[in-house]
Amino acid sequence: MFRLVQWRLRPVRGSSCLLLAAPWRGFSGFPPGFPAAHVRSSFLDFFRRRHGHLLVPSSPVRPRADPSLLFVNAGMNQFKPVFLGTVDPRSQMASYRRVVNSQKCVRAGGKHNDLEDVGRDTYHHTFFEMLGNWSFGDYFKVEACQMAWSLLTEHYGIPADRLYVSYFGGDAASGLPADEETRNIWLDLGVSPGRILPFGLEDNFWEMGDSGPCGPCTEIHFDHMGGRDAAFLVNAGSPDVVEIWNLVFIQYNREPDRSLRLLPRFSVDTGMGLERLVSVLQGKRSNYDTDLFTPLMDAIHQRSGVGPYTGRTGTEEGSQVDLAYRVVADHIRTLSVCIADGIHPGMSGAELVLRRILRRAVRFCIQVLQAPQGALASLVPTITQLLGDAYPELKQEEDRIVDIINENEAQFLASLQQGSRIIQRTLSKKDCKHSGFPASVAWTLHRDLGFPLDLVDMMLEERGVRVNRQDLERLLSENQKVASEKRAGVWSHVMLDLHILAELRRLKVPHTDDSLKYQYGLEKDRYVFPACSATVLALCNGQTLVQEVSEGQRCAVILDQTCFYSEQGGQSHDRGYLTCSRLQDVVFPVDGLVQVGGYVVHQVTATDRLKTGDQVQLHLDQAHRLSCMVKHTATHVLNFALRKVLGPSVHQRGSHVSADRLRFDFSVKGSLSIPQLQQVERCVHDIVTANQIVHTMELPVQRAKSIRGLRTVDEVYPDPVRVVSLHVPVSELLDSPTDKDTSVELCCGTHLLRTGAIEDLVIVSEKQMVKGISRVVAVTGRDATQAREAGQALSQEVDSLSARLSGSSPSSIDSAQRLSKEASILSDAVDNTPIPQWQRRELQDRLKTLLRTSNSAIRKMELREAAQKAQAILEKNGRKALLVDFVEAESLSDSPTLAASDWAVAVCGYLGGSAGGSTLVAKGTGTSDDITEALRWAEDFVAQKRQH
């Protein structure tokens, strides 16, 4: 048991700041009521005021131009340019020597993923705060250990007999010795030998990645129990002995060949989780029992229909309710921080992970905690109160966070209720205790209703059953295969041939009314899509029309009406599913949509019996549709901008619109220049920011073609045809005798009602496909923003490299070759990262110049070294009739502009001799009284060749 002690405040030398100290006996943490906020601020003040560290604000949890991360997951992420040497020398970051901060971190998805564990125990979190101090070429092991020990034992008052330290014990296979230096530092600080424990690479050697800065680390562990020797529990996974601080000593660089090289300057990178530290200082075994969470737990209880949080875990009675408390508390923190930093629930990458977190939180909040809809978002003000002073963006974005959570919750609740009914219905029909829950149903919940698979597992776990895992893995594998086949174009749908179409006409099956696909509107800046019910008019199994299909059959479904958009006009088909009125909880996913002979064919794999005459409801994937609308309207804007910049000779030659990007082919003599690309993007930007109205009207083809400035492509249009114009109504264009200088096209696609929803457009690729035809690929919205951020980050790296190359000359061939290699790696990144195409061209040109400069310097140094070696050979051997010697060379030279044989023949000819050989290596003989002059002539010969 912990015993309360009387605390005293002790002033820090040389500062007016007060820090806390306490005797080691009977440690119980800070005094009652001492807030976690002060734990955070006292950490920062300790390093800032007492040890001269610069306080750097937390970076957003969206990584800054780092495609290797979904989220910022450690305090060091924002300092990677310093560790990697890519920091812009003109930036403030380049001046960092001693730094301290508290970093917002998210570990969900990717390599570091704690999502599956959250709620099951009392210490895992998806969002947490990382306290850290850094030294960039300033102090090292001694000072880092001294400061850490002083802060923990003197100022936080943690008893030394509760602490253990680990250090790197060496690795014979890697040729790494034990870090005895760190062990001796701890001994000098008074730590007993039995509490200083060696561990191997896995526990005590930190690496940034497969290559890059790395080094040994030392960790400080805390024993919650005390009064015993707990050394055997360190790094043993015990919740009683936990790591609280990791001090990394970055002294090596892991080379691409896996060898280690000492860095020119050493650095320190430390990290300590605030949540775990507060639990130690407040004498709590659970992070959720600290004042970082207790106000949140109280707020959840006020909104719930269950009892208060009691901290139970495992299989204890009522533990599921407490698990739900922890899940909701953790997830609302993560949602609030991520949304404030610009990450919204979405369909890919970090956005998809956040969508999964939100849906998990909603389900626990409503189904387990019995809270009403809207309760989750109502917790945001509590988060703002707890974290808003440390992270002001939470206060600034509070209303937007609430709106986004409420909107996404409403979307999920409809499918959540249906998913629960599907599970219950399946359990009532089948004995799942022994055979397992059908994987096909779990897959339907995941694919069509957006259920994370772990959520399905938990819902089943509550009912005492499990998914048939083997079958589920098979379905996952098949889905990946189908996706790859679709990308390769080998996926075949059930189609309607001439005989089936004739039979439909004989039976007088009416054509599909798909006018609902255009009947959507804007309400309070949100798109609202119409509900759609329909009747199954016909079913086809691929060979003939049938009256019904059974579970597992692929079929073509023809309805009397649909709200789905079928693939045409270069726009991808809609996504969604059908439900049947007599089978309310059965989902029939729509795999594809095509229009054949006036019929919209819904490609469906039946999940239960479906028959003609059934009444069905159509459920549109609204996020997917809206993304396609954004890209299609953006394509029209881009088409207009290209014609505006390049002239009337530009004509569309093809396009494709999907949810994630747009592609546009057009006629032009050559690739666009950098200024032209910039002009096109500026023109698009002006139209987007003007938030122009998108007008549509259906007209007879001939009447539509009378519009001046109308853009068309070489295809057969329906009659009547749909006309889409920007800013100027179609009716006004019809009556105008002149070109109104706006976008107007014949188009059957779905479009935005205003251009502002495009937000931004970036051309990420432009190249000539064949002579006279260019292809542009562009992204919009957040993808465009990320492309610009990535371009800016790469530009700064090129600036940094340029500054280093234009500075003092490399001291050796090795250093020059390293710079050249860095330029090549950076060039690959510029070539392959989605960034503005105009910026890619600029950076490519700069990098080519840098590579030429670097390689020229390497050649000059190699020639100078060769001359010195040749002269040394002559001086060593004197004038002999026969001269035999050798010259060391690291590698064969291979120049694309000059064959070795050509060079040797020319040089030896100049010397009155002869030579021969291959493109790669050649040899020859000649006579000269002045070897230096001969080498100069050889260099001039190469220079002349390179100019041609």
Side-chain angles (χ1 to χ4, degrees):
M1 293 291 291
F2 291 143
R3 179 172 59 86
L4 292 175
V5 298
Q6 185 175 358
W7 283 78
R8 56 190 174 88
L9 292 172
R10 179 165 62 85
V12 178
R13 294 190 299 275
S15 170
S16 60
C17 171
L18 292 178
L19 292 172
L20 295 169
W24 65 266
R25 293 181 181 276
F27 166 75
S28 63
F30 282 164
F34 201 97
H38 198 96
V39 178
R40 183 195 299 113
S41 62
S42 62
F43 177 92
L44 301 176
D45 286 343
F46 175 83
F47 287 99
R48 183 166 60 95
R49 298 185 179 183
R50 187 180 180 93
H51 294 288
H53 286 60
L54 175 70
L55 177 59
V56 175
S58 169
S59 69
V61 293
R62 179 189 288 281
R64 290 170 175 162
D66 188 346
S68 67
L69 297 174
L70 289 173
F71 304 95
V72 166
N73 58 27
M76 58 75 59
N77 289 163
Q78 70 167 310
F79 304 119
K80 281 176 73 171
V82 182
F83 291 124
L84 295 172
T86 60
V87 63
D88 186 337
R90 297 167 299 180
S91 70
Q92 183 186 11
M93 188 176 287
S95 67
Y96 289 170
R97 292 296 176 267
R98 296 180 174 213
V99 165
V100 64
N101 89 336
S102 178
Q103 172 66 49
K104 297 174 294 184
C105 298
V106 173
R107 290 188 177 173
K111 179 181 177 182
H112 299 287
N113 183 10
D114 290 342
L115 180 57
E116 310 297 337
D117 298 314
V118 169
R120 298 182 185 276
D121 56 38
T122 61
Y123 50 86
H124 275 100
H125 304 289
T126 52
F127 166 75
F128 64 98
E129 298 178 67
M130 182 75 85
L131 304 173
N133 60 290
W134 288 265
S135 163
F136 305 114
D138 191 335
Y139 59 82
F140 201 46
K141 295 180 181 179
V142 172
E143 297 91 335
C145 294
Q146 287 175 341
M147 286 187 282
W149 197 251
S150 173
L151 177 67
L152 294 179
T153 61
E154 296 175 20
H155 299 286
Y156 284 148
I158 299 176
D161 64 5
R162 290 286 189 88
L163 299 176
Y164 297 81
V165 295
S166 63
Y167 70 97
F168 179 55
D171 185 77
S174 303
L176 287 169
D179 187 5
E180 293 294 336
E181 179 185 4
T182 296
R183 181 178 184 275
N184 291 329
I185 291 169
W186 289 121
L187 288 171
D188 292 342
L189 287 171
V191 182
S192 64
R195 292 175 177 269
I196 308 173
L197 311 170
F199 289 92
L201 283 170
E202 184 176 349
D203 293 304
N204 280 84
F205 195 89
W206 178 89
E207 304 203 38
M208 184 181 292
D210 292 336
S211 61
C214 57
C217 62
T218 183
E219 297 174 337
I220 303 175
H221 299 254
F222 175 78
D223 177 17
H224 276 289
M225 302 293 289
R228 59 177 180 167
D229 181 359
F232 70 100
L233 293 175
V234 172
N235 283 338
S238 169
D240 295 330
V241 179
V242 295
E243 172 206 335
I244 56 173
W245 206 346
N246 187 12
L247 285 62
V248 180
F249 306 127
I250 302 176
Q251 61 191 80
Y252 299 108
N253 190 71
R254 177 72 74 180
E255 300 294 311
D257 64 1
R258 303 299 296 160
S259 63
L260 292 171
R261 177 183 292 182
L262 281 174
L263 291 168
R265 69 171 189 173
F266 296 169
S267 298
V268 174
D269 166 14
T270 84
M272 176 161 57
L274 174 68
E275 291 78 7
R276 188 169 290 182
L277 174 64
V278 170
S279 72
V280 167
L281 295 177
Q282 294 185 357
K284 306 294 185 183
R285 297 296 300 275
S286 166
N287 295 350
Y288 294 94
D289 291 336
T290 69
D291 66 348
L292 282 168
F293 286 92
T294 49
L296 189 52
M297 294 304 203
D298 291 341
I300 294 170
H301 178 233
Q302 291 169 12
R303 292 155 176 80
S304 75
V306 298
Y309 176 69
T310 59
R312 289 165 293 191
T313 60
T315 58
E316 296 178 64
E317 184 179 352
S319 62
Q320 189 69 12
V321 169
D322 285 343
L323 182 150
Y325 266 103
R326 292 188 289 269
V327 167
V328 172
D330 172 88
H331 288 9
I332 190 61
R333 284 171 26 118
T334 304
L335 289 164
S336 299
V337 168
C338 286
I339 295 171
D341 281 348
I343 304 176
H344 299 176
M347 299 301 293
S348 63
E351 285 80 7
L352 180 60
V353 174
L354 198 64
R355 178 175 181 252
R356 182 182 176 192
I357 289 171
L358 184 142
R359 292 187 162 202
R360 195 168 185 252
V362 168
R363 184 257 166 174
F364 276 104
C365 197
I366 290 179
Q367 288 199 338
V368 181
L369 297 178
Q370 301 172 29
Q373 183 174 346
L376 185 65
S378 74
L379 297 171
V380 172
T382 305
I383 300 297
T384 301
Q385 293 169 9
L386 290 169
L387 300 175
D389 290 339
Y391 308 112
E393 58 275 11
L394 287 167
K395 293 181 178 179
Q396 298 163 9
E397 300 291 338
E398 183 177 302
D399 291 343
R400 188 168 64 87
I401 296 168
V402 169
D403 289 344
I404 289 172
I405 292 175
N406 276 331
E407 182 177 329
N408 280 272
E409 179 185 53
Q411 291 174 358
F412 180 52
L413 282 178
S415 58
L416 180 65
Q417 293 169 0
Q418 186 176 7
S420 297
R421 291 197 302 270
I422 289 173
I423 289 175
Q424 194 57 46
R425 176 173 168 270
T426 304
L427 292 174
S428 65
K429 287 172 58 180
K430 300 182 179 181
D431 179 14
C432 300
K433 293 280 187 181
H434 299 97
S435 60
F437 190 81
S440 59
V441 179
W443 178 243
T444 293
L445 292 169
H446 174 65
R447 183 185 63 178
D448 301 312
L449 297 183
F451 278 52
L453 286 174
D454 72 315
L455 178 54
V456 176
D457 286 339
M458 281 187 287
M459 292 174 73
L460 293 174
E461 193 176 290
E462 294 169 1
R463 295 165 169 83
V465 298
R466 295 180 178 274
V467 174
N468 187 314
R469 186 57 57 180
Q470 185 175 354
D471 287 352
L472 184 59
E473 293 296 333
R474 178 180 53 79
L475 285 172
L476 287 166
S477 177
E478 288 177 359
N479 179 69
Q480 292 170 351
K481 181 181 178 182
V482 167
S484 63
E485 286 177 346
K486 283 184 176 180
R487 289 191 294 271
V490 300
W491 176 255
S492 61
H493 287 302
V494 175
M495 296 300 294
L496 307 185
D497 60 23
L498 292 173
H499 302 290
I500 295 173
L501 286 170
E503 181 67 5
L504 289 170
R505 286 192 291 269
R506 188 187 70 79
L507 295 171
K508 296 182 179 180
V509 176
H511 290 163
T512 311
D513 176 10
D514 62 350
S515 58
L516 278 176
K517 67 187 180 186
Y518 297 130
Q519 294 177 22
Y520 47 86
L522 271 173
E523 292 182 10
K524 296 181 180 179
D525 295 325
R526 289 184 55 210
Y527 281 87
V528 178
F529 297 90
C532 181
S533 298
T535 303
V536 177
L537 299 182
L539 294 168
C540 175
N541 64 7
Q543 298 174 330
T544 184
L545 295 178
V546 294
Q547 288 298 306
E548 68 177 41
V549 292
S550 56
E551 181 178 352
Q553 270 192 282
R554 272 211 208 139
C555 62
V557 181
I558 296 174
L559 307 173
D560 61 337
Q561 67 170 349
T562 184
C563 61
F564 289 158
Y565 181 86
S566 54
E567 184 151 0
Q568 55 186 317
Q571 179 177 326
S572 297
H573 63 76
D574 279 341
R575 296 197 314 205
Y577 59 92
L578 312 176
T579 56
C580 180
S581 58
R582 62 181 178 78
L583 299 168
Q584 280 293 326
D585 301 327
V586 178
V587 172
F588 294 86
V590 177
D591 300 319
L593 291 140
V594 292
Q595 200 166 66
V596 183
Y599 299 104
V600 175
V601 180
H602 301 72
Q603 304 285 350
V604 169
T605 301
T607 50
D608 205 318
R609 188 166 61 96
L610 187 66
K611 58 185 181 179
T612 56
D614 275 344
Q615 300 297 305
V616 295
Q617 292 75 46
L618 286 74
H619 303 266
L620 174 69
D621 185 331
Q622 297 182 9
H624 180 269
R625 160 70 81 83
L626 184 56
S627 293
C628 288
M629 289 162 56
V630 167
K631 303 305 184 298
H632 207 147
T633 302
T635 301
H636 283 217
V637 177
L638 177 63
N639 189 358
F640 173 77
L642 287 165
R643 191 178 178 95
K644 187 86 171 171
V645 172
L646 302 176
S649 62
V650 171
H651 294 285
Q652 180 177 341
R653 291 292 179 260
S655 68
H656 188 264
V657 171
S658 62
D660 59 347
R661 67 198 312 187
L662 64 92
R663 188 190 73 217
F664 188 79
D665 298 344
F666 60 100
S667 59
V668 66
K669 288 183 178 180
S671 287
L672 275 64
S673 65
I674 290 173
Q676 286 173 331
L677 288 165
Q678 292 172 323
Q679 281 180 273
V680 170
E681 286 193 3
R682 281 197 296 270
C683 184
V684 172
H685 175 76
D686 290 342
I687 295 171
V688 171
T689 54
N691 198 22
Q692 294 183 358
I693 296 175
V694 181
H695 299 275
T696 59
M697 180 181 279
E698 197 167 80
L699 292 170
V701 170
Q702 291 306 315
R703 181 87 169 111
K705 286 186 175 180
S706 69
I707 297 173
R708 291 185 177 271
L710 180 74
R711 309 303 302 279
T712 63
V713 293
D714 186 19
E715 64 178 49
V716 178
Y717 290 99
D719 194 2
V721 69
R722 192 173 173 83
V723 182
V724 179
S725 66
L726 300 181
H727 186 53
V728 182
V730 177
S731 57
E732 187 176 330
L733 293 170
L734 281 167
D735 299 330
S736 174
T738 60
D739 188 341
K740 284 289 188 177
D741 194 30
T742 190
S743 168
V744 54
E745 297 187 36
L746 304 183
C747 181
C748 61
T750 57
H751 284 271
L752 297 171
L753 302 180
R754 283 186 171 271
T755 59
I758 297 171
E759 298 180 356
D760 192 11
L761 180 142
V762 167
I763 297 172
V764 294
S765 173
E766 187 275 329
K767 60 183 178 181
Q768 289 258 300
M769 303 302 293
V770 294
K771 185 69 174 177
I773 302 292
S774 269
R775 170 170 291 177
V776 159
V777 176
V779 293
T780 62
R782 287 198 294 273
D783 290 336
T785 301
Q786 291 174 5
R788 294 194 190 281
E789 290 175 351
Q792 184 62 29
L794 286 170
S795 180
Q796 291 173 354
E797 291 188 46
V798 173
D799 289 344
S800 173
L801 179 61
S802 179
R804 282 178 281 149
L805 281 171
S806 61
S808 57
S809 300
S811 57
S812 66
I813 293 178
D814 281 348
S815 60
Q817 287 175 335
R818 280 197 294 274
L819 285 173
S820 179
K821 182 179 179 181
E822 186 176 337
S824 296
I825 293 171
L826 191 51
S827 181
D828 288 341
V830 168
D831 289 345
N832 298 308
T833 303
I835 62 175
Q837 181 68 8
W838 65 263
Q839 192 171 35
R840 190 191 318 279
R841 297 252 178 89
E842 280 189 348
L843 296 178
Q844 285 170 335
D845 290 343
R846 291 181 63 193
L847 285 166
K848 285 177 184 175
T849 301
L850 292 176
L851 278 167
R852 281 197 297 269
T853 302
S854 176
N855 291 337
S856 177
I858 291 170
R859 282 193 297 273
K860 287 180 180 179
M861 294 172 75
E862 287 176 339
L863 285 170
R864 188 160 52 247
E865 186 176 271
Q868 292 169 353
K869 289 181 177 179
Q871 193 64 42
I873 290 171
L874 290 174
E875 290 173 1
K876 181 175 72 173
N877 292 280
R879 293 185 175 277
K880 294 181 179 179
L882 175 65
L883 192 157
V884 180
D885 212 316
F886 70 93
V887 177
E888 291 183 359
E890 292 185 2
S891 64
L892 296 172
S893 178
D894 186 4
S895 169
T897 59
L898 178 64
S901 56
D902 293 345
W903 196 14
V905 167
V907 174
C908 291
Y910 174 80
L911 298 175
S914 62
S918 67
T919 301
L920 187 62
V921 63
K923 61 183 178 180
T925 60
T927 303
S928 175
D929 294 329
D930 187 353
I931 189 66
T932 304
E933 172 60 18
L935 290 170
R936 185 198 61 74
W937 190 91
E939 183 177 353
D940 290 344
F941 177 85
V942 175
Q944 291 173 12
K945 280 284 186 182
R946 288 179 58 81
Q947 290 173 1
H948 295 301

